[in-house]
Amino acid sequence: MKLESMSNDPLHGLTLEMIVTHLAESYGWEELGRHININCFTSNPSVQSSLKFLRKTPWARTKVEDFYKYSMRKNKLK
């Protein structure tokens, strides 16, 4: 693989569904809702309902992606 074709983005190759699922499995919905206080994580959460909201709401998606990157850096993911 050529060096210039490799991405430095830690989210490269991950779908939003993979990110949400991994966060939910690592933290659980209740703790995830405490870290990222948005209704899709605190009120009757599910992967599908979260994805629907996050795909329509760029600021919330950014929060989730930033928290995922933070969790990766701190080795908090299972």
Side-chain angles (χ1 to χ4, degrees):
M1 183 177 255
K2 293 182 181 177
L3 186 59
E4 62 268 7
S5 68
M6 294 176 66
S7 175
N8 287 331
D9 182 5
L11 301 179
H12 181 77
L14 296 176
T15 64
L16 185 58
E17 183 174 5
M18 292 166 85
I19 292 169
V20 170
T21 301
H22 199 184
L23 286 172
E25 289 173 351
S26 296
Y27 288 94
W29 290 111
E30 190 173 323
E31 188 176 347
L32 188 56
R34 283 194 298 270
H35 287 286
I36 308 171
N37 190 17
I38 52 180
N39 281 343
C40 69
F41 295 149
T42 59
S43 177
N44 197 21
S46 73
V47 171
Q48 291 308 313
S49 65
S50 298
L51 291 174
K52 187 175 180 180
F53 175 75
L54 294 170
R55 287 180 177 136
K56 294 188 293 186
T57 316
W59 63 265
R61 182 178 182 147
T62 299
K63 278 187 167 193
V64 170
E65 290 173 343
D66 289 346
F67 184 68
Y68 188 79
K69 289 187 267 189
Y70 166 81
S71 296
M72 284 176 55
R73 282 193 311 273
K74 298 295 183 180
N75 293 319
K76 301 267 186 182
L77 299 172
K78 293 180 182 176

